[in-house]
């Protein structure tokens, strides 16, 4: 797939692998009688989203720009769902015009913005069920003092005081997990809401179960139980919004070795990419998978990125043959949270974007250049190109 004519660094997405993930979701949609949204926060390559759109019921967005992108792609053939902790007063009308579903993150936002929603957007609340399943508080939506959603105990108190709120809320959204490989926590969350807010569940028309689950890897029996409870008992329209679970295995970062030298007894191979092209490597401090790695390889190198950040290091890897200047290094499982988070620290260019099509062709989709860099720096009229 990654022949020498490809310009590095490069991000390559595999259409066949994307389609395989979407087909798995189609089975879930049919069996569970739910609707499938794709979460743009994980991946937002336009041509890939166009390829995916016919297999989806819509997109979930977390900002005005993501919502505009979703609407441009899905048009009248699906729905756009928006939930964000940061609705801005000067954007709410524009959001309401292009969104089909809006979930407000707080009762404060609900009270300030509900009357400013124009068009046909169905409005609901994001709820924090106050059940924690994620140990790392940085990624735990239900952490103590969470900013994500109305705490369940606050909802209960408010509903006791304001009976009219039942009639105004059309749906609820929650998101309680991250990188989960089982649906047990999702079922537990649904049962928790069923126990504590049955009256609210009986009065709304839809519920969004969020993401945070590796939809193509987990046993789906608990997912079916959770959705079945919501549909059979409350007759709700149910949405799920996978992101990483669909796209992670379908993406690669392709790089080239641009220098090799020895440092304190270890061989250092500097690549033309950087951890800033895959920021979660640094955030999570994990060692990414390399396609050419050999567990029994006799040639060991520390793979390093090309910025001046001392910690721009991918890890230590072994190879069957020595690396040379120009050797290709391919990082696997890079579909999610790479380009959407990538930055141009040190002025290092972003990866070019390629599609590996279902027909087996490599197609260049986008190259970045100095114009992209300078535009992020507050382009001056005195700058000439």
């Amino acid at each position: 797939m990654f022949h020498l004519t490809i310009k590095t660094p490069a991000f390559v997405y595999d259409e066949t692998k994307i389609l395989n993930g979407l087909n798995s979701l189609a089975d879930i949609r049919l069996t569970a009688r739910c609707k499938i949204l794709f979460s743009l926060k994980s991946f937002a390559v336009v041509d890939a989203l166009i390829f995916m759109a016919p297999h989806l019921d819509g997109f979930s967005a977390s900002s005005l720009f993501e919502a505009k992108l979703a609407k441009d792609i899905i048009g009248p053939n699906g729905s756009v769902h928006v939930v964000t902790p940061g609705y801005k007063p000067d954007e709410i009308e524009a959001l309401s015009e292009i969104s089909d579903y809006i979930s407000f993150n707080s009762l404060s936002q609900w009270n300030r913005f509900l009357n400013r929603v124009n068009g046909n957007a169905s409005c609901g609340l994001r709820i924090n069920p106050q059940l924690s399943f994620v140990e790392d508080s940085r990624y735990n939506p239900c952490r103590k003092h969470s900013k994500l959603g109305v705490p369940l105990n606050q909802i209960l108190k408010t509903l006791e005081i304001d009976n009219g709120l039942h009639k105004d809320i059309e749906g609820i959204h929650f998101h309680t997990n991250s990188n989960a490989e089982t649906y047990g926590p999702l079922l537990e969350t649904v049962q928790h809401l069923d126990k504590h807010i049955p009256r609210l569940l009986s009065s709304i028309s839809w519920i969004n179960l969020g993401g945070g689950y590796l939809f193509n890897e987990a046993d789906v029996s608990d997912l079916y139980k959770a959705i079945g409870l919501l549909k059979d008992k409350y007759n709700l329209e149910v949405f799920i919004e996978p992101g990483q679970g669909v796209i992670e295995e379908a993406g690669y970062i392709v790089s080239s070795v641009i220098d090799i030298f020895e440092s304190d007894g270890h061989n250092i191979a500097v690549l033309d990419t950087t951890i800033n092209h895959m920021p979660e490597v640094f955030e999570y401090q994990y060692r990414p998978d390399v396609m050419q790695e050999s567990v029994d390889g006799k040639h060991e190198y520390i793979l390093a990125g090309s910025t001046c950040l001392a910690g721009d290091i991918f890890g230590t890897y072994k190879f069957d043959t020595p690396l040379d200047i120009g050797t290709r290094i391919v990082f696997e499982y890079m579909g999610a949270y790479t380009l959407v988070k990538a930055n141009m620290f040190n002025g290092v260019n972003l990866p070019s974007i390629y599609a590996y099509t279902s027909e087996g062709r490599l197609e260049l989709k986008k190259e970045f250049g100095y114009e992209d860099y300078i535009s992020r720096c507050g382009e001056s009229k005195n700058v000439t190109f």
Side-chain angles (χ1 to χ4, degrees):
M1 181 193 304
F2 308 111
H3 50 71
L4 292 176
T5 59
I6 192 172
K7 182 178 179 179
T8 61
F11 174 84
V12 181
Y13 64 88
D14 187 325
E15 289 184 346
T16 300
K17 288 191 174 183
I18 292 176
L19 189 58
N20 289 341
L22 293 172
N23 287 337
S24 296
L25 289 174
D27 293 338
I28 291 175
R29 175 169 55 182
L30 180 63
T31 303
R33 298 168 295 150
C34 65
K35 293 189 175 181
I36 308 294
L37 311 172
F38 181 76
S39 177
L40 291 180
K41 66 183 178 184
S42 65
F43 176 80
V45 175
V46 173
D47 282 358
L49 297 177
I50 293 172
F51 174 79
M52 297 166 69
H55 306 275
L56 300 166
D57 294 299
F59 293 103
S60 64
S62 300
S63 65
L64 177 59
F65 287 175
E66 280 191 352
K68 283 184 174 182
L69 173 59
K71 191 65 175 180
D72 285 344
I73 292 171
I74 204 75
N77 300 315
S79 56
V80 177
H81 297 237
V82 179
V83 59
T84 174
Y87 289 103
K88 299 177 182 179
D90 60 343
E91 293 181 352
I92 193 67
E93 282 87 359
L95 268 173
S96 67
E97 290 173 2
I98 58 179
S99 304
D100 300 287
Y101 298 80
I102 296 177
S103 296
F104 289 103
N105 186 67
S106 67
L107 290 174
S108 170
Q109 288 183 337
W110 174 269
N111 292 327
R112 282 185 292 133
F113 294 139
L114 182 63
N115 291 333
R116 294 178 60 184
V117 173
N118 302 314
N120 299 314
S122 179
C123 294
L125 283 176
R126 176 170 182 168
I127 287 181
N128 171 8
Q130 296 180 287
L131 290 176
S132 288
F133 302 106
V134 183
E135 292 184 3
D136 189 335
S137 63
R138 295 175 300 170
Y139 305 98
N140 180 7
C142 300
R143 63 186 288 175
K144 191 173 183 180
H145 311 304
S146 175
K147 68 175 185 178
L148 299 173
V150 185
L152 183 60
N153 58 10
Q154 185 179 348
I155 283 286
L156 290 170
K157 290 178 181 178
T158 305
L159 290 175
E160 289 177 2
I161 299 171
D162 183 1
N163 290 325
L165 194 61
H166 283 101
K167 298 179 181 179
D168 293 332
I169 299 174
E170 297 180 11
I172 62 174
H173 175 284
F174 69 80
H175 184 126
T176 59
N177 222 323
S178 176
N179 290 331
E181 296 180 356
T182 74
Y183 290 107
L186 182 64
L187 177 58
E188 183 179 344
T189 304
V190 169
Q191 292 170 335
H192 185 68
L193 296 180
D194 175 44
K195 177 181 177 180
H196 288 90
I197 53 171
R199 186 183 172 196
L200 180 58
L201 291 174
S202 297
S203 66
I204 61 176
S205 60
W206 56 268
I207 186 168
N208 186 327
L209 308 185
Y213 294 85
L214 301 180
F215 284 82
N216 296 329
E217 297 181 16
D219 178 351
V220 294
S221 57
D222 283 341
L223 172 65
Y224 292 161
K225 290 177 185 176
I227 295 175
L229 189 160
L230 294 166
K231 294 191 71 69
D232 297 338
K233 185 173 181 178
Y234 297 104
N235 194 32
L236 293 176
E237 184 177 34
V238 179
F239 298 92
I240 57 176
E241 46 179 47
Q244 182 174 351
V246 177
I247 202 69
E248 182 177 40
E249 294 185 7
Y252 307 83
I253 297 287
V254 187
S255 60
S256 298
V257 177
I258 56 176
D259 196 14
I260 298 173
F261 55 87
E262 185 267 338
S263 178
D264 296 325
H266 287 275
N267 291 318
I268 311 295
V270 179
L271 309 180
D272 59 2
T273 188
T274 162
I275 56 169
N276 298 298
H277 294 160
M278 34 190 128
E280 290 205 336
V281 170
F282 195 72
E283 292 174 11
Y284 283 104
Q285 290 295 295
Y286 76 88
R287 179 180 174 278
D289 293 311
V290 168
M291 181 181 291
Q292 299 92 333
E293 182 181 15
S294 173
V295 176
D296 299 320
K298 297 181 179 179
H299 305 278
E300 186 175 273
Y301 299 84
I302 295 174
L303 299 184
S306 55
T307 72
C308 64
L309 174 64
D312 191 356
I313 302 291
F314 299 102
T316 301
Y317 297 82
K318 293 180 180 180
F319 301 88
D320 288 330
T321 58
L323 301 184
D324 294 312
I325 304 299
T327 296
R328 295 297 170 89
I329 300 295
V330 180
F331 293 94
E332 300 179 288
Y333 310 110
M334 288 289 134
Y337 301 109
T338 46
L339 289 187
V340 290
K341 286 189 171 186
N343 61 69
M344 302 178 88
F345 174 64
N346 264 187
V348 176
N349 201 11
L350 294 171
S352 301
I353 302 174
Y354 289 82
Y356 185 61
T357 70
S358 53
E359 294 83 19
R361 301 190 309 272
L362 266 176
E363 293 184 358
L364 176 63
K365 296 293 184 178
K366 170 71 176 179
E367 283 186 290
F368 299 91
Y370 178 65
E371 295 85 354
D372 300 288
Y373 172 69
I374 196 65
S375 70
R376 297 162 65 104
C377 296
E379 178 181 332
S380 168
K381 293 181 180 179
N382 295 325
V383 176
T384 57
F385 301 107

